[in-house]
Structure formats: C-alpha cells, structure tokens
C-alpha cells in the first residue's frame, strides 16, 4: 500500500475522535439519537478544525447499516466507501470549481428526485460553499428549504459572513472554534506514540503553536519534521525545518532586557539574523511571549489552564514576577510597532536592535502617580505657602530634631532645618572633637550609597540630577542648576532624614544644604541663604483677605509668588488666568 500522510491517516472516523469541538459533536449525537435530523447543515470555522471531517462522519452515521446512529460501525460497505470518498450516494462538491448556476443545476438540482442507489440518504457535501455565485445560491433556496425526504445538505465554509441570510435561515449553523495548542499537542503525542517516534514535549508544543489552531496544519508540519529527523526529533530540528523561532532564544532576549544587558541583546539579535529567521516573526513571537507573561501576571492560575506549555510554566512564572504590568503593556506596543516598521525597512536588523534598547529604556520610566506620591511625602499645612518641612511651633523645642541656633532665635519665624549659621559653628566643632571622624571622600561615598539603598527613588530623581556635590567638615552641599528649583526644594523636604543619615555615618553633626548654581533666580538664592525665607508665611488678616477679593490682580500676584504654585508650574506647563479666594 502506498504511503498515506498523517493528516489523512489520522483523520477522525467517529464523533468521539474529533478534537476540540465537543459542543458540535454532542449536538449532532443527540440529534441522531432522538431522530431530529435537519435537512441542511452549515459548518463554519477556520481551516483545519474539522468541518469536512464532521460532515463525513455525519453522512456515515446517517447511512450506516445500524443507523441512523451516533456511533457508526466503520465496517459496513457504506461506512467504508464514505470514508474513502467513493460512495455513489454521497456527493462531495467543491464550490470553487462549481460556482455557476449551470453547475448547480446539473450536479445538485437534477439529482434531487433520484432516490439513493443503496444508502438511506443522498447526501450533498458542498465544500467552501461561500464561493458559489448569488444566482447559484438563489437556485438552491427552494431545494434547501423543502428537499425530498431522502436528501440532506451539508455545507462547509471558512467565511460564514459571505453566505446569504436566506440560506442560513433554512439551515442549522454550527460554528467550529480554533483548536487550542494544548489539544493539538496532546493529539500529536498520541500520533508520535502510535508511530514509535521519540520527540520531547517542547518540540510538540512548538509545532502546535505554529499551527495556530489548525489540526491539519499541525499534522502536516509534524509529517515534514519526521521526514527530516526520522524517528528521533529534537527541538532544534523543528525550528530548522519549519523556520520557527526557538523558545530558548525568546526567553534569552527577555532576560537580557530584564538585566539591561545591551551587548547580550545585540548578540541575540545577531543570532536571530544568522539563523535566517524572519525578524517580523521574531517580533511576533516576542509579543506572544509578552502576552503569556501578562496572563500569568494578571491570573497566575491560568498558567496551568491556558496554552502555555508545561515545560515553560516555571520559567514564565519566574519572569512575570520581575515585570510590572505597565512594563509589559509598553513592551507589547514597542514590539508591535517594530513588526510594522520591519515590514518596509531596508535594514530590518536595525529596527529590532533599537526596539530591544527602547524596551530596556522604557522599563526605567516611573508612573506619574508614583512620582506625585513621592513628591507629596512631606505634608503641607493648609495655610502655608512655603515648603512644609519645618518642625511645629517654636514654643515646643522638644519636638525639634536638633537645638535651634543662637543666631536664629532673633528671627520671628525660624526654620531649624536650614544650614547652621557661622555663629553656631564653634559650638558644633566642640561637639565634633569628641566624636569619631570620617574622611571627606569617604563620607560623600557612604552618604550616596546610603541614599541609593534606603531611598532609591530620591536618589534617581533628585540626587542624581545635582550639578555638584561638595563635602566639607560639617556641611554637605548639593548644587542644582537654576532651572531645577523644584528639585532643590524636594531635597530640602528630605533634609531631616539626610542630616540624620550623615550624622550616623560621620559620627558628628553634619548640615545638609541645597543651593542653586550661578544664574539662579533671586527668590531661589534667598531661599537657599536665608533661614527665614523657607518658613511658612503667617496667615493673612481678615482685612487683607477681603482686599484680595476686591483686587483679583493682587491675589494672582500672591499666588504666583507661592513656592508651591511655582513647583506645579515647573512640572506641568500651564497658565494661571484667575485666582479666587475660597
């Protein structure tokens, strides 16, 4: 006997053998058991999901010697001839070659009145029925609606929307779904066991994923791999024969992005190019892997129920923990755009490499909500117009983090968080004489390491933006550019913690000062040099509040003079048009 391809050899012969279409097969079995057999059926679905196969099984069930029965014997003459496609009473018509009305009249309509030669029913199986012309559909209307009792129509199509509603309303419509990769992989395992073929689960999963829901495509691809590798198949054999992207390569690329390892990412892109892979397919497969990571991130239980191969579940679950959902959504957009760009690019490799680097960069972005939360760590009193970083009232010295300087006692609203004045330095040096000392360079490195470890967000968004950091015996000075007033004030809001950390590292009191470099605006310079400048402004008397209501310009000027409002205008480009007293 001549060789028969796997797709034909393993074609289902019973309803129970049809994979992934339980709803359709159960309905047909129940209809046969109860005798509720319609005169016309429409089977719709994607390629390779079992439409024509189900039509043949239904024809066997109707014409079996034991039938009509939901379990045809497969041994009688009717079952054998229908399975082989040579039963004279079961006509399979290719609509693509019989589109005209004359073909339908000669092949279908003219034979309706003729009784079956041997079988119980005369069955017309019309494949790709959507390719019939409108006139042919109109000619079939009456025949489908009221055929002779011995005639049954079965129509298969991949494009249900192209069939006229007049045909659909006269038929029972069954929609076949795409077969899951897991079901395809299980069926390929049964075939491999029966054919005595050694193949790992990873290779079968790769074939099943490439089939995209088509059992026939998967069996044809598996047949091709067997012809190449013989009875022992490896994952690399599948990738080489079918031109698929190995899953290890995809996982390695994702890990390189996670580690922000640019050289390794370029090396993996080289490997994909040298293997001859279509770089659009690389981006598409990476998008699929990102989608799997998102599924596991959102619902970890789906790792065991979805289309993720069993051999990949642990690795995907581990990688998903290292990504945020925002990272995965941005990565999907980057890869989808790269696939489109590569389509028309003269140098596809460049687009892939830049996409990987862009993916690494996007992982460094901080959500705006988190940024605003971090900026709002220090609470502001409702009546204050400056930074709310000073301790409570002057009348409660016990609440202050350190003793108030003598020179600052004369100021009406002192700010203990400002740098220590020259008048207090001798006293501080006296205290320092008994404390252990640290070198200037060592203190700077230790303080930066402490900030990076304990408050990474502050280090990345504020400290790292400083133009210059100078360390003296009793002072650490952060210098910012003139345009970075908001960063300077953000650092000042963390002054208490910074000074405590510096004192712990140096063994003595160390003042932390934030200033702006040359060219700073006068308001910023005054704020950096004058302790009284950072203290909250006293509440305005009632008469002044009434004056602001009468004079909107004065209220606007006062609002624009507020450091809080200036910070907001630095972050968000906006214009204040009107100010109202609440």
């Amino acid at each position: 006997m001549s060789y028969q391809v796997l797709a034909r050899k393993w074609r289902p012969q019973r309803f129970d053998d049809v994979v992934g279409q339980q709803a359709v097969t159960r309905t047909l079995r129940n209809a046969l058991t109860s005798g509720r057999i319609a005169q016309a059926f429409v089977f719709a679905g994607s390629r390779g999901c079992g439409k024509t196969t189900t039509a043949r099984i239904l024809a066997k069930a109707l014409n079996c010697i034991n039938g009509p029965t939901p379990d045809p014997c497969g041994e009688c003459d009717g079952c054998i001839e229908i399975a082989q496609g040579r039963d004279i009473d079961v006509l399979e018509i290719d609509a693509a070659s019989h589109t005209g009305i004359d073909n339908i009249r000669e092949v279908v309509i003219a034979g309706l009145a003729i009784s079956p030669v041997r079988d119980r029913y005369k069955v017309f199986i019309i494949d790709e029925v959507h390719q019939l012309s409108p006139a042919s559909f109109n000619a079939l209307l009456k025949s489908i609606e009221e055929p002779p009792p011995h005639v049954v129509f079965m129509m298969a199509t991949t494009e249900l929307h192209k069939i006229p509603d007049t045909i659909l309303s006269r038929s029972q419509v069954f929609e076949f779904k795409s077969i899951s990769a897991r079901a395809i992989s299980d069926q390929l395992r049964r075939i491999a066991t029966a054919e005595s073929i050694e193949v790992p689960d990873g290779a079968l999963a790769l074939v099943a994923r490439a089939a995209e829901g088509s059992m026939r495509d998967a069996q044809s691809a598996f047949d091709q791999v067997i012809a190449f590798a013989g009875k022992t198949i490896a994952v690399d054999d599948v990738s080489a024969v079918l031109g698929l992207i190995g899953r290890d390569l995809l996982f390695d690329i994702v890990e390189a992005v996670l580690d922000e390892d640019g050289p390794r990412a370029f090396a993996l892109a080289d490997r994909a190019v040298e293997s001859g892979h279509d770089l659009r397919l690389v981006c598409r497969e990476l998008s699929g892997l990102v989608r799997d990571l998102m599924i596991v991130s959102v619902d970890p239980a789906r790792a065991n129920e979805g289309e993720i191969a069993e051999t990949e579940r642990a690795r995907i679950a581990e990688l998903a923990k290292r990504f945020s959902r925002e990272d995965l959504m941005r990565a999907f957009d980057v890869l989808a755009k790269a696939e489109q760009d590569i389509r028309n690019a003269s140098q596809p490799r460049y687009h892939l490499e830049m996409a990987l680097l862009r993916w690494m960069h996007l992982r460094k972005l901080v959500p705006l909500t988190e940024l605003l939360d971090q900026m709002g760590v220090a609470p502001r009193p409702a009546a204050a117009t400056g930074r709310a970083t000073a301790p409570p009232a002057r009348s409660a010295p016990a609440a202050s983090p350190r003793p108030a300087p003598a020179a600052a006692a004369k100021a009406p609203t002192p700010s203990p968080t400002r740098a220590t004045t020259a008048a207090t330095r001798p006293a501080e040096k006296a205290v320092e004489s008994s404390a252990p000392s640290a070198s200037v360079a060592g203190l700077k490195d230790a303080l930066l390491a402490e900030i990076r470890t304990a408050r990474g967000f502050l280090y990345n968004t504020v400290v790292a933006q400083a133009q210059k950091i100078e360390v003296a015996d009793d002072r650490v000075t952060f210098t910012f550019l003139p345009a970075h007033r908001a960063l300077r004030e953000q650092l000042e809001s963390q002054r208490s913690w910074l000074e405590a950390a510096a004192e712990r590292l140096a063994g003595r009191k160390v003042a932390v000062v934030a200033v702006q470099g040359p060219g700073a605006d006068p308001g910023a310079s005054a704020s950096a040099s004058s302790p009284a400048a950072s203290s909250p402004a006293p509440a305005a008397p009632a008469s002044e509040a009434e004056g602001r209501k009468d004079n909107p310009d004065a209220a606007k000027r006062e609002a624009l003079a507020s450091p809080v409002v200036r910070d907001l205008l630095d972050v968000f480009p906006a214009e204040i048009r009107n100010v109202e007293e609440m």
Side-chain angles (χ1 to χ4, degrees), residues 41-99:
F41 299 88
V42 174
F43 298 144
S46 58
R47 69 182 190 279
C49 62
K51 302 182 296 298
T52 306
T53 296
T54 303
R56 285 189 178 185
I57 296 173
L58 181 56
K60 289 198 303 182
L62 293 173
N63 290 323
C64 179
I65 193 173
N66 301 323
T69 174
D71 298 303
C73 65
E75 299 177 354
C76 64
D77 292 340
C79 290
I80 294 174
E81 291 180 2
I82 292 173
Q84 296 177 354
R86 56 185 180 87
D87 192 306
I88 194 173
D89 292 323
V90 178
L91 282 73
E92 291 195 30
I93 304 170
D94 180 18
S97 58
H98 295 79
T99 58

Side-chain angles (χ1 to χ4, degrees), residues 101-367:
I101 186 173
D102 294 336
N103 301 122
I104 295 300
R105 185 182 295 114
E106 293 172 4
V107 177
V108 179
I109 299 176
L112 292 178
I114 302 175
S115 298
V117 176
R118 183 196 59 199
D119 296 340
R120 191 176 295 106
Y121 289 94
K122 175 172 282 191
V123 180
F124 293 92
I125 300 177
I126 307 177
D127 203 6
E128 299 300 330
V129 68
H130 63 273
Q131 298 198 31
L132 291 179
S133 65
S136 299
F137 277 122
N138 293 333
L140 282 175
L141 286 179
K142 191 63 177 178
S143 301
I144 290 178
E145 184 175 9
E146 296 180 0
H150 58 268
V151 173
V152 176
F153 287 95
M154 301 179 192
M155 296 167 280
T157 178
T158 55
E159 300 185 40
L160 183 63
H161 62 280
K162 291 186 177 181
I163 300 179
D165 292 338
T166 51
I167 296 291
L168 297 178
S169 64
R170 290 167 168 81
S171 311
Q172 286 190 1
V173 180
F174 293 86
E175 295 193 31
F176 288 62
K177 60 183 181 180
S178 297
I179 306 173
S180 67
R182 186 172 184 177
I184 293 176
S185 182
D186 292 342
Q187 178 67 6
L188 293 180
R189 172 57 65 190
R190 287 190 285 269
I191 294 175
T193 302
E195 299 287 337
S196 301
I197 297 172
E198 296 181 6
V199 56
D201 292 337
L204 295 180
L206 201 58
V207 174
R209 185 183 292 269
E212 297 181 349
S214 171
M215 180 64 74
R216 183 174 61 241
D217 289 5
Q219 292 172 342
S220 299
F222 191 41
D223 216 348
Q224 186 177 352
V225 173
I226 294 173
F228 172 79
K231 294 291 186 178
T232 303
I233 300 174
V235 176
D236 291 339
D237 296 331
V238 177
S239 301
V241 175
L242 303 182
L244 303 178
I245 312 298
R247 299 290 286 179
D248 288 338
L249 175 61
L250 301 177
F251 281 113
D252 290 344
I253 291 176
V254 173
E255 289 176 352
V257 171
L258 277 170
D259 297 336
E260 297 183 7
D261 191 347
R264 186 183 177 198
F266 279 110
L268 293 171
D270 291 342
R271 179 174 153 193
V273 173
E274 292 171 359
S275 300
H277 295 312
D278 183 355
L279 298 187
R280 288 182 302 169
L281 182 59
V282 174
C283 293
R284 193 177 308 139
E285 291 295 324
L286 282 173
S287 299
L289 180 55
V290 169
R291 174 254 184 194
D292 292 340
L293 293 173
M294 177 63 82
I295 286 179
V296 174
S297 176
V298 173
D299 185 7
R302 290 195 60 182
N304 300 324
E305 301 175 0
E307 301 178 356
I308 301 175
E310 186 175 357
T311 55
E312 300 176 356
R313 291 171 187 168
R315 195 171 183 182
I316 287 180
E318 186 66 26
L319 291 175
K321 295 177 182 177
R322 300 176 62 185
F323 280 106
S324 68
R325 296 180 187 177
E326 292 82 2
D327 288 340
L328 294 175
M329 288 188 289
R330 286 192 289 261
F332 191 89
D333 292 339
V334 168
L335 294 171
K337 184 178 184 301
E339 181 183 352
Q340 294 297 325
D341 293 341
I342 289 173
R343 186 183 304 275
N344 300 319
S346 58
Q347 295 290 343
R349 174 178 179 171
Y350 300 166
H351 288 270
L352 175 62
E353 293 171 344
M354 293 303 105
L356 296 180
L357 293 180
R358 190 177 299 113
W359 186 1
M360 294 181 194
H361 173 72
L362 289 177
R363 293 194 65 246
K364 300 178 182 179
L365 297 181
V366 179

Side-chain angles (χ1 to χ4, degrees), residues 544-572:
E544 295 183 8
E546 294 175 358
R548 285 196 299 268
K549 290 182 180 180
D550 298 336
N551 190 354
D553 292 338
K556 183 177 180 180
R557 285 194 299 272
E558 182 178 350
L560 290 174
S562 169
V564 178
V565 175
R566 292 202 303 269
D567 289 350
L568 291 175
L569 294 179
D570 287 343
V571 177
F572 302 102

Side-chain angles (χ1 to χ4, degrees), residues 270-505:
D270 291 342
R271 179 174 153 193
V273 173
E274 292 171 359
S275 300
H277 295 312
D278 183 355
L279 298 187
R280 288 182 302 169
L281 182 59
V282 174
C283 293
R284 193 177 308 139
E285 291 295 324
L286 282 173
S287 299
L289 180 55
V290 169
R291 174 254 184 194
D292 292 340
L293 293 173
M294 177 63 82
I295 286 179
V296 174
S297 176
V298 173
D299 185 7
R302 290 195 60 182
N304 300 324
E305 301 175 0
E307 301 178 356
I308 301 175
E310 186 175 357
T311 55
E312 300 176 356
R313 291 171 187 168
R315 195 171 183 182
I316 287 180
E318 186 66 26
L319 291 175
K321 295 177 182 177
R322 300 176 62 185
F323 280 106
S324 68
R325 296 180 187 177
E326 292 82 2
D327 288 340
L328 294 175
M329 288 188 289
R330 286 192 289 261
F332 191 89
D333 292 339
V334 168
L335 294 171
K337 184 178 184 301
E339 181 183 352
Q340 294 297 325
D341 293 341
I342 289 173
R343 186 183 304 275
N344 300 319
S346 58
Q347 295 290 343
R349 174 178 179 171
Y350 300 166
H351 288 270
L352 175 62
E353 293 171 344
M354 293 303 105
L356 296 180
L357 293 180
R358 190 177 299 113
W359 186 1
M360 294 181 194
H361 173 72
L362 289 177
R363 293 194 65 246
K364 300 178 182 179
L365 297 181
V366 179
L368 182 60
T369 54
E370 181 180 341
L371 181 62
L372 294 177
D373 289 342
Q374 290 289 340
M375 292 181 65
V377 169
R380 296 190 182 97
T385 58
R387 285 284 177 184
T389 58
R394 173 72 181 173
S395 59
S400 302
R402 53 193 173 97
K410 300 177 181 180
T413 54
S415 175
T417 62
R418 290 295 176 184
T420 309
T421 60
T424 62
R425 288 176 188 168
E428 289 186 356
K429 289 180 180 178
V431 177
E432 292 171 5
S433 61
S434 61
S437 62
S439 65
V440 170
L443 174 59
K444 177 179 178 181
D445 294 340
L447 180 59
L448 292 178
E450 176 70 14
I451 299 172
R452 185 187 299 107
T453 302
R455 302 201 176 182
F457 182 84
L458 176 67
Y459 180 86
N460 292 326
T461 59
V462 179
V463 176
Q465 307 300 323
Q467 183 183 21
K468 183 169 57 175
I469 302 176
E470 297 176 320
V471 179
D473 291 339
D474 59 350
R475 179 187 297 264
V476 179
T477 304
F478 292 84
T479 304
F480 293 91
L481 293 174
H484 289 175
R485 186 181 68 253
L487 296 179
R488 174 181 59 78
E489 295 184 352
Q490 178 67 15
L491 185 73
E492 290 176 353
S493 69
Q494 302 292 328
R495 183 194 299 267
S496 299
W497 181 86
L498 291 171
E499 291 182 340
E503 181 178 354
R504 184 172 63 255
L505 295 172

